[in-house]
Amino acid sequence: MGLGLRRMERLAGVGVGPLAIGAVGVLLLLQIIRRVRRKQVLQDKVVVITGASSGLGKECARVFHAAGARLILCGRDQKRLQEVVEELGVKTDGKTKTYTPCTVTFDLSDTETVASAAAEILKCHGHVDVLVNNAGISYRGSILDTHVSVQKDVMDTNYFGPVALTQAILPSMVERGAGHIVVISSVQGKIAIPYRSAYAASKHATQAFFDCLRAEVERFGLHVSVISPGYIRTNLSLNAVTGDGSKYGVMDKTTAAGWDPVDVAHAVLKAVTYRQKDVLLAGPLPALAVYLRTLWPAAFFRLMASRAKKEKGIKEQ
């Protein structure tokens, strides 16, 4: 083995050690370039984040604030939004120029108020560079036991709300010829699993709308990113609604073992930095299921039917 390495070194005219050091140096240089690019892309940019008072939205606020963005944080609870603002002010590192975020309080599920909220958002800095549609609600329940009003409520928050806000902000982006729209969808926007009908339906609709939007606004120089994570370690399942509209109140094992919201927030930042169109954040099995649904749907349907029977058995115990 040692003789072989020495022969390779003689042929290459250089030792393995210097090559390894050079490779490490190149990797470090690439990391530095990426960090600088992120700061250049987002420094001073106006970034709107919905659902910013907790969970993934709060983590997105942290990473975009650290990148020098001028944030507009949106949510239903002004007190909690203000707590995020104060926390960001304390945690600034001084290396990047940062700004005190603005806040706009409104209920995204009330589409009648979204237009006025959008007007308030635009008053903060006169325009929006990046809109991150993050706010959402989850659902757990059987279709047989779910009232149609619950299906509608989930659609209002997860689909009609982001659509209304996007359409309200969009004309100003078109006029400027610049802007990036991000929506946090889900793996369940690509595949549907049992006992998640309202949630999966809202995310499928979200995927379709923003795919259409991407194609339509490219000619204006705008960008659209759909982020589809698997389970994220937040309170989403705790706050999920059930078939009768009551709160689920359980931290699912899959959620507890899910993605760290910090990692997902950095993936969102990366999607904006590199203008990624469609990002799937999932482990091997969910990713395989997405492809299986397309390439071998019969097998996927059998798997989902088996999962439904298994989950039903657990619920009845």
Side-chain angles (χ1 to χ4, degrees):
M1 185 69 179
L3 182 61
L5 284 173
R6 286 195 293 273
R7 285 177 178 173
M8 289 175 62
E9 290 176 3
R10 286 198 297 270
L11 288 172
V14 66
V16 173
L19 285 174
I21 293 171
V24 171
V26 170
L27 290 174
L28 289 173
L29 181 61
L30 286 173
Q31 288 183 350
I32 293 170
I33 291 172
R34 285 172 181 167
R35 288 174 185 170
V36 171
R37 181 176 180 180
R38 287 181 181 179
K39 290 182 179 180
Q40 290 176 337
V41 167
L42 289 162
Q43 182 68 59
D44 303 329
K45 298 298 183 183
V46 179
V47 178
V48 177
I49 303 173
T50 65
S53 63
S54 63
L56 177 58
K58 185 176 181 178
E59 295 303 332
C60 284
R62 285 173 176 161
V63 298
F64 278 93
H65 179 263
R70 291 182 287 177
L71 297 180
I72 303 174
L73 306 180
C74 304
R76 294 179 296 180
D77 190 325
Q78 175 60 32
K79 182 181 178 181
R80 293 176 68 187
L81 287 175
Q82 192 56 43
E83 288 173 354
V84 176
V85 171
E86 292 172 3
E87 184 179 330
L88 292 177
V90 170
K91 289 196 172 183
T92 182
D93 59 11
K95 296 178 182 179
T96 302
K97 183 179 180 181
T98 59
Y99 302 89
T100 301
C102 298
T103 61
V104 177
T105 308
F106 68 103
D107 186 350
L108 193 66
S109 67
D110 184 359
T111 54
E112 297 298 322
T113 65
V114 170
S116 60
E120 188 176 347
I121 287 169
L122 289 169
K123 283 180 182 178
C124 292
H125 297 289
H127 69 279
V128 171
D129 292 300
V130 181
L131 169 60
V132 180
N133 288 295
N134 164 73
I137 189 171
S138 192
Y139 155 89
R140 303 287 190 276
S142 163
I143 293 173
L144 281 171
D145 301 324
T146 299
H147 195 277
V148 70
S149 63
V150 173
Q151 302 275 7
K152 184 178 182 299
D153 288 344
V154 174
M155 289 294 291
D156 281 341
T157 300
N158 290 359
Y159 175 71
F160 287 110
V163 166
L165 183 59
T166 297
Q167 291 192 193
I169 298 293
L170 188 60
S172 65
M173 288 184 170
V174 170
E175 184 178 352
R176 294 178 65 239
H180 196 138
I181 297 167
V182 179
V183 64
I184 308 301
S185 183
S186 168
V187 170
Q188 293 182 55
K190 296 179 180 293
I191 57 172
I193 65 175
Y195 305 108
R196 307 289 193 279
S197 60
Y199 184 76
S202 69
K203 294 302 184 179
H204 271 71
T206 296
Q207 179 81 50
F209 177 87
F210 286 92
D211 280 351
C212 291
L213 178 66
R214 183 189 301 109
E216 293 181 22
V217 300
E218 185 174 332
R219 62 194 176 100
F220 300 117
L222 308 187
H223 305 279
V224 176
S225 298
V226 178
I227 315 295
S228 301
Y231 295 104
I232 307 175
R233 202 160 59 245
T234 66
N235 289 334
L236 192 67
S237 71
L238 283 170
N239 297 322
V241 294
T242 61
D244 62 3
S246 61
K247 188 174 290 188
Y248 183 59
V250 176
M251 174 63 76
D252 290 335
K253 290 182 180 179
T254 49
T255 301
W259 282 72
D260 188 326
V262 175
D263 294 333
V264 179
H266 280 287
V268 175
L269 182 71
K270 181 181 177 182
V272 173
T273 302
Y274 296 101
R275 296 174 176 175
Q276 296 173 319
K277 292 178 171 61
D278 196 77
V279 179
L280 178 65
L281 299 174
L285 289 179
L288 178 62
V290 171
Y291 289 106
L292 188 66
R293 172 65 179 83
T294 301
L295 301 175
W296 195 5
F300 174 81
F301 297 148
R302 285 197 296 271
L303 284 172
M304 291 302 103
S306 175
R307 174 171 177 156
K309 290 177 182 177
K310 181 178 178 181
E311 286 196 22
K312 185 64 174 176
I314 293 173
K315 293 176 189 294
E316 290 177 345
Q317 288 178 1

